[in-house]
Amino acid sequence: MSNRKRREWLLAEKRRQLDEADIGDELDSFSAEFKYRVRSHFSFVERQPLRFSNNRQGSDNLGGSLIDVQGKNMPPPFNPLFDDLHHLLIEADWCRLWSSYQSDLEEADRTFNAALGMLSKHGRVVSSSSDEPVWTDGMQRAARSINGVRRSVFQYADRFPSVLQSARLFWPECKDIGDSDVLALLAADQAHAAAKILVNLIKDVEERAMDEDISRRDDGRFSMLLTEISEKRRQDSSYGFGKLRRARDLLRLAQLAELAAESELARLRFEEQEREFMRRESDMARKIERVKNFDQSGGHERGLWRLVDEILDTIGAGASARQVWDQLKAYKGKGVVYDINEHEVSWITAAGHLAKAPTGFRSFETTLSNKRKKKRGG
């Protein structure tokens, strides 16, 4: 769409919005109240981002790349001060898996709202016709910048005594807000991330069921679909639940930090909870690092078989497949092997997700035998 057509479309949308708003003769008035109403109605004018057949680099008539055009037409990032989780949740409440994740999504919503409640002291209502708060400049700067720093804050948090110190270093825009505000803002952000991951999972499953023409009454075919995608569902669920756990922990830390300024006992409790939070974050980081050490290339299968080679070096190269399989069970929950039974073995990947080997004991036995034959042949 050209710039001229885009302007014409926006003007037409604005006229339509004004007609629906039934403002009428007030167009002749330019009072502050009227200007506020006009801005409020214009804020609801939305337009879908430009879509292209592919992401191939190219140029439009103005000489700009299509990638740049797409980026400029993307919706703005989520802002916890002005957005909420309501619209996100209603996208999935009609899906068949809604009941399986409803309690988790509602908990994410409660955590988000509780975090925003703690931040409410930084906002005040200034218009008699709207209850939308006007936030302080420091809080707005922190909220707008969180999208660009969250990865660094949590990725390197285990290198600092507390997540607050990591945030203060990698998130300079939060310098004008207090410790409890930093933690509450992080909690709201992680609650939104958890809800988004779980909602996308629910919607993806529903869309796949629709693509395969599985009706809502066909429980058998839907169950088969869930079995088919069980590994991806487990990975996404685990990732979303991890974000939700972190959001709850951060909210609890924020609440304790708020009390710590007034009570010595609360301060000690806050420091204890902060150490526990860092311990859990460090445990997960160590598990991920161990997987990386086993497999620098990032390949899933290689990580498993590097562990198998280590077991064979310990118990003897001639050990049976059953003996090796039983030894693998001893590694369950120790950073590489997440779960193992007679049907499969799964573990935590370098990205922190769950992965499943192409296994079952019989498949494992066959693969181990083939590897031994290759070694003897070499």
Side-chain angles (χ1 to χ4, degrees):
M1 181 183 292
S2 68
N3 287 339
R4 179 180 177 182
K5 290 183 178 179
R6 187 180 294 110
R7 286 194 298 269
E8 291 174 352
W9 181 87
L10 287 172
L11 286 172
E13 279 295 299
K14 291 175 181 177
R15 294 191 187 99
R16 184 180 66 78
Q17 291 285 337
L18 286 172
D19 291 338
E20 292 180 358
D22 194 24
I23 294 177
D25 296 336
E26 293 186 19
L27 284 172
D28 296 329
S29 170
F30 289 94
S31 65
E33 178 67 18
F34 170 71
K35 290 180 180 179
Y36 171 80
R37 293 181 63 184
V38 171
R39 291 193 186 100
S40 298
H41 287 293
F42 282 2
S43 66
F44 291 103
V45 177
E46 297 180 355
R47 177 180 179 275
Q48 291 295 322
L50 295 182
R51 297 182 181 275
F52 301 95
S53 57
N54 54 53
N55 287 329
R56 177 176 53 84
Q57 280 285 69
S59 298
D60 57 20
N61 293 334
L62 299 177
S65 70
L66 297 181
I67 302 301
D68 289 341
V69 174
Q70 281 183 303
K72 291 177 181 178
N73 280 273
M74 289 294 289
F78 182 85
N79 189 322
L81 300 182
F82 300 100
D83 302 319
D84 56 40
L85 304 190
H86 176 69
H87 293 293
L88 182 63
L89 300 189
I90 62 176
E91 293 179 10
D93 62 1
W94 60 276
C95 299
R96 277 169 273 199
L97 282 183
W98 169 257
S99 59
S100 300
Y101 296 93
Q102 181 178 0
S103 60
D104 301 296
L105 289 169
E106 290 176 347
E107 183 176 2
D109 189 43
R110 287 193 299 270
T111 302
F112 179 88
N113 292 333
L116 261 292
M118 293 187 62
L119 299 174
S120 61
K121 60 182 177 291
H122 294 283
R124 56 191 180 88
V125 178
V126 298
S127 173
S128 60
S129 61
S130 172
D131 58 356
E132 283 293 321
V134 175
W135 298 92
T136 61
D137 292 340
M139 182 57 67
Q140 290 198 50
R141 281 193 296 270
R144 285 196 302 267
S145 58
I146 194 171
N147 293 285
V149 301
R150 71 166 69 87
R151 181 183 296 273
S152 298
V153 169
F154 293 115
Q155 182 176 357
Y156 302 109
D158 62 314
R159 303 183 184 182
F160 298 88
S162 70
V163 69
L164 271 173
Q165 291 189 23
S166 179
R168 295 296 188 189
L169 177 63
F170 294 107
W171 190 10
E173 292 84 359
C174 73
K175 64 181 180 180
D176 296 327
I177 60 178
D179 291 349
S180 63
D181 303 321
V182 172
L183 293 167
L185 203 51
L186 288 173
D189 176 74
Q190 291 299 290
H192 167 255
K196 187 174 182 180
I197 292 167
L198 297 178
V199 166
N200 286 341
L201 165 62
I202 296 171
K203 290 169 60 180
D204 288 345
V205 172
E206 189 66 30
E207 289 172 3
R208 181 158 180 175
M210 294 173 65
D211 290 341
E212 298 187 14
D213 199 24
I214 301 176
S215 71
R216 289 184 172 270
R217 297 182 179 180
D218 197 342
D219 294 336
R221 289 185 62 198
F222 187 67
S223 296
M224 291 176 61
L225 172 64
L226 293 181
T227 302
E228 181 182 344
I229 62 174
S230 60
E231 183 58 29
K232 183 180 185 304
R233 180 186 173 190
R234 183 167 59 177
Q235 291 181 24
D236 292 347
S237 297
S238 177
Y239 190 41
F241 294 153
K243 294 282 188 182
L244 181 56
R245 174 194 58 77
R246 178 185 282 169
R248 291 196 303 263
D249 290 346
L250 287 166
L251 177 62
R252 185 161 54 250
L253 285 174
Q255 293 167 340
L256 288 172
E258 193 172 50
L259 295 173
E262 304 175 1
S263 168
E264 178 66 17
L265 181 62
R267 185 185 65 79
L268 295 174
R269 178 62 175 165
F270 166 71
E271 292 175 353
E272 177 187 348
Q273 288 291 311
E274 193 172 37
R275 287 193 294 270
E276 178 65 17
F277 174 83
M278 296 304 299
R279 185 190 64 77
R280 285 195 293 267
E281 293 287 309
S282 297
D283 286 346
M284 179 55 70
R286 282 195 294 269
K287 288 179 181 179
I288 295 173
E289 188 62 29
R290 183 170 182 184
V291 174
K292 290 180 179 178
N293 291 337
F294 265 92
D295 182 14
Q296 295 295 333
S297 69
H300 292 169
E301 184 182 83
R302 186 180 173 192
L304 175 66
W305 293 105
R306 287 284 295 277
L307 180 57
V308 169
D309 289 339
E310 185 180 270
I311 292 173
L312 289 173
D313 290 341
T314 302
I315 67 176
S320 68
R322 173 58 64 182
Q323 289 174 313
V324 176
W325 187 265
D326 290 340
Q327 288 294 318
L328 278 174
K329 294 178 180 179
Y331 285 82
K332 179 179 177 181
K334 296 182 179 179
V336 176
V337 177
Y338 177 81
D339 192 17
I340 182 170
N341 51 48
E342 293 304 310
H343 306 291
E344 66 183 27
V345 57
S346 57
W347 65 89
I348 301 173
T349 70
H353 306 315
L354 289 178
K356 181 176 66 176
T359 57
F361 175 73
R362 291 182 180 178
S363 174
F364 174 84
E365 185 177 34
T366 301
T367 305
L368 181 60
S369 175
N370 291 336
K371 287 182 177 293
R372 282 172 167 166
K373 289 179 181 178
K374 289 181 180 180
K375 287 185 177 180
R376 286 197 295 268

